[in-house]
Amino acid sequence: MYRDKLTDATHLALVRGPISPDTETLVRVHEPLSVIDLLDIDDATHSWSVAQAQRAIAAAGRGVIVLLHRPESADELRRRALDEGPPAATKMDLRNYGIGAQILRDLNVGRMRLLAKPRKMPSMAGFDLEVTGYVETPPARAAG
């Protein structure tokens, strides 16, 4: 658990296996953290669900999922739970990149392959993090 001293938000990190800065690590930084994100449902809000990221990291034997907290109103939660259209657009807060990066460095991550679609983001070099690539889409889940 990590506490953001500025906002008093709590962020979570799920870690599997040994993490070394010289070894490529699968990483998923997930925001917003909502009860909906923790249910294994098809949610088009994200390219990877938490459950899909957990399965990929389990198969790889090592990885990190950082769950960043973002306040969610009752209306936002209802819209997501009832699939009432896309969530309201929110402006990306670049500070969240810094929070996620600090958590990853604290966990000993260095080289990372992101479970995400490629996107333009601030440089991670200042945090001594290197993005080695992306896994854009989760593998199809077997029926049963």
Side-chain angles (χ1 to χ4, degrees), residues 88-119:
T90 57
K91 187 176 179 182
M92 183 179 8
D93 184 354
L94 296 180
R95 192 174 83 83
N96 290 340
Y97 280 105
I99 293 168
Q102 289 175 64
I103 292 170
L104 290 169
R105 282 308 302 150
D106 186 63
L107 295 171
N108 213 24
V109 173
R111 301 180 72 235
M112 59 185 175
R113 179 173 297 274
L114 299 179
L115 299 175
K117 292 179 182 175
R119 66 188 312 172

Side-chain angles (χ1 to χ4, degrees), residues 73-96:
S73 72
D75 285 341
E76 289 172 311
L77 178 60
R78 187 193 81 251
R79 287 181 64 79
R80 289 187 67 202
L82 300 176
D83 197 22
E84 294 178 343
T90 57
K91 187 176 179 182
M92 183 179 8
D93 184 354
L94 296 180
R95 192 174 83 83
N96 290 340

